[in-house]
Amino acid sequence: MVGYCRAVVQPPFVFVAGTVGRDPVTGDLPADVEGQCANALAIIAAALAEAGAGFADVVRVTYYAPERSDFERCWPQLRATFGASPPASTMVVAGLIDPAMRIEIEVTAMLPQSHR
């Protein structure tokens, strides 16, 4: 319906589009924000890997959530995902395209030297 790409590689960067927790194969959307966050992170991980990068290469992340209180429930997963060198980040409270969606995550990564 619209021009869209999960990720665009423009060396030295990888721009990953806003990603929600809907399983791309089954279309399932977990009811809870933790499940949606886990799915979104898995989808982002696959996009980064295809581009030759990973979460350690992420320099910027933006989170969107309709409910501010949902974001804190994702913190343990986000700490585990981004490790000791977390990226610069912004959290925006905003409605998402589907009211069942609890979080959307968008990242920018810098390609490792070997992939530039």
Side-chain angles (χ1 to χ4, degrees):
M1 289 191 262
V2 297
Y4 172 80
C5 187
R6 169 67 51 214
V8 173
V9 178
Q10 181 62 55
F13 297 105
V14 179
F15 300 93
V16 180
T19 305
V20 297
R22 186 175 305 281
D23 185 296
V25 176
T26 67
D28 292 340
L29 182 68
D32 64 316
V33 69
E34 295 92 342
Q36 290 188 28
C37 183
N39 281 0
L41 291 171
I43 294 164
I44 292 168
L48 289 171
E50 187 172 332
F55 282 116
D57 303 305
V58 173
V59 295
R60 182 91 175 126
V61 60
T62 305
Y63 306 99
Y64 303 91
E67 297 295 329
R68 169 181 332 190
S69 60
D70 277 350
F71 185 55
E72 188 172 348
R73 294 167 51 196
C74 295
W75 290 357
Q77 288 183 70
L78 300 174
R79 273 193 301 270
T81 298
F82 292 109
S85 300
S89 67
T90 300
M91 194 281 172
V92 179
V93 176
L96 301 179
I97 198 162
D98 179 337
M101 294 173 177
R102 309 306 312 148
I103 191 163
E104 183 169 343
I105 304 169
E106 167 184 272
V107 305
T108 301
M110 183 168 276
L111 288 168
Q113 282 294 117
S114 60
H115 287 90
R116 290 187 195 176

